């Protein structure tokens, strides 16, 4: 079926206890000169959830779902998991793959889009890990999958469900992580987001007004980032008389911290202040349709 002899699930990583939060954030921001007080401020978001990001748990669930999909389709390949910023670190996973005799692996990253932080940086992570580990296997990153049914279909169902819990006249807001306007491949990232949002809106609720907004900005105010931010846009919509919003986190594959805090706490709180009913749609997570994507992409990219 494939010329690969393993699959590598590659993700961002996150803290799994209060003592992990600051070291994790130091990993994320290494080389950027972020002051300690800023890290502690961001760390408060994690401490609201016991110092635990859901992302590692969600990766374990996705890994198990991928393994179940492999088993159901007769694919006899091991699935490994490595992170950019926290344990299990990618280099450690690559070392284990080498020791297990893996020669060529396909890498499925938990980011669906093109762009620097969503695609290119993962390629750099792979290259760096291979340099660090002598005798490492070849690792081929699988293509972006923002246009694939396995990614979009769960969002269609989730958007429809979210709208169904709101009164008539609700607006669809598709959200994604903002990036600096200067970031390489930013235009392609935006174009893919717009197309994914258009597809999901058209299938979930034809004729419902929708817009693409951004969240999770982290740069200095002087640096221009993709806009509008969701909280700012909620204020605009409230001023126009919109009274219900379904937020669809189209830029994310799972409910990690940027979803749990920036949408479920911050955006939901602002909507409540404005008198706007707010429902956040689910992400694909370990949906079997999403978990089938690595197998389907491997079949296409032998």
């Amino acid at each position: 079926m494939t010329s690969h002899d393993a699959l590598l699930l590659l993700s961002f990583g996150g803290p799994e206890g209060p003592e992990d939060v600051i070291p994790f954030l130091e990993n994320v921001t290494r080389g950027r000169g972020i002051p300690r007080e800023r890290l502690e401020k961001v760390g408060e978001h994690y401490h609201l959830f016991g110092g635990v990001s859901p992302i590692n748990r969600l990766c374990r669930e996705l890994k198990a779902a991928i393994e179940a999909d492999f088993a159901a389709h007769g694919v006899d390949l091991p699935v490994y998991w490595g992170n950019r910023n926290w344990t299990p670190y990618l280099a450690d996973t690559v070392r284990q793959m080498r020791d297990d005799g893996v020669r060529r692996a396909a890498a499925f990253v938990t980011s669906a889009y093109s762009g620097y932080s969503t695609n290119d940086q993962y390629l750099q992570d792979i290259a760096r890990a291979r340099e660090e580990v002598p005798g490492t296997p070849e690792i081929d990153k699988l293509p972006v999958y923002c246009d694939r049914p396995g990614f979009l279909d769960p969002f269609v169902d989730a958007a429809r469900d979210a709208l169904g819990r709101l009164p008539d006249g609700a607006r669809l807001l598709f959200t994604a992580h903002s990036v600096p306007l200067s970031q390489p491949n930013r235009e392609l990232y935006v174009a893919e987001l717009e197309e994914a949002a258009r597809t999901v809106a058209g299938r979930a609720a034809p004729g419902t007004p929708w817009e693409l907004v951004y969240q999770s900005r982290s740069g200095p105010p002087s640096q221009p980032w993709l806009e509008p931010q969701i909280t700012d846009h909620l204020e605009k919509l409230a001023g126009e008389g919109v009274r219900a919003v379904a937020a669809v986190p189209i830029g994310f594959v799972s409910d990690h911290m940027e979803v749990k805090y920036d949408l479920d706490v911050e955006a939901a709180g602002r909507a409540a202040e404005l008198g706007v009913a707010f429902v956040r749609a689910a992400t694909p997570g370990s949906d079997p349709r999403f978990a089938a994507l690595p197998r389907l992409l491997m079949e296409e990219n032998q």
Side-chain angles (χ1 to χ4, degrees), residues 19 43 50 62 74 105:
E19 68 283 354
L62 177 58

Side-chain angles (χ1 to χ4, degrees), residues 207-221:
T208 297
W210 66 270
E211 290 145 306
L212 175 63
V213 298
Y214 297 94
Q215 60 175 88
S216 312
R217 177 191 168 121
S218 59

Side-chain angles (χ1 to χ4, degrees), residues 46 49 53-54 58 155 175-177 215-216 247-268 278 280-284:
Y46 291 87
F49 297 89
S53 167
L58 295 167
F155 273 121
T175 75
H177 204 299
Q215 60 175 88
S216 312
V248 183
I250 195 74
F252 303 90
V253 304
S254 65
D255 289 11
H256 55 72
M257 192 56 69
E258 277 83 358
V259 175
K260 298 299 289 182
Y261 180 82
D262 297 349
L263 293 182
D264 294 354
V265 175
E266 195 170 52
F278 183 93
R280 194 266 295 173
T283 51

Side-chain angles (χ1 to χ4, degrees), residues 180-263:
L181 297 188
S182 59
Q183 189 172 102
N185 290 328
R186 182 259 306 168
E187 296 90 345
L188 182 55
Y189 173 63
V190 172
E192 289 175 346
L193 285 166
E194 289 176 342
E195 184 57 31
R198 183 177 298 108
T199 299
V200 171
R203 291 178 52 202
T208 297
W210 66 270
E211 290 145 306
L212 175 63
V213 298
Y214 297 94
Q215 60 175 88
S216 312
R217 177 191 168 121
S218 59
S222 59
Q223 184 180 39
W225 283 52
L226 289 172
E227 294 181 337
Q229 289 290 298
I230 184 170
T231 47
D232 295 338
H233 201 66
L234 286 170
E235 293 175 18
K236 178 176 180 290
L237 292 178
E240 295 171 354
V242 174
R243 289 290 169 259
V245 165
V248 183
I250 195 74
F252 303 90
V253 304
S254 65
D255 289 11
H256 55 72
M257 192 56 69
E258 277 83 358
V259 175
K260 298 299 289 182
Y261 180 82
D262 297 349
L263 293 182

Side-chain angles (χ1 to χ4, degrees), residues 20-38:
D20 297 343
V21 172
I22 295 300
F24 163 73
L25 293 173
E26 289 173 340
N27 285 345
V28 173
T29 60
R30 181 171 290 118
R32 289 163 52 189
I34 306 296
R36 170 81 179 205
E37 55 268 26
R38 174 59 184 159

Side-chain angles (χ1 to χ4, degrees), residues 8 90-99 129 133 136-137 139:
L8 168 63
L90 176 58
D92 294 335
T93 300
V94 168
R95 189 174 291 107
Q96 184 64 56
M97 293 164 65
R98 178 203 64 188
D99 294 348
V133 181
T136 188
I139 300 174

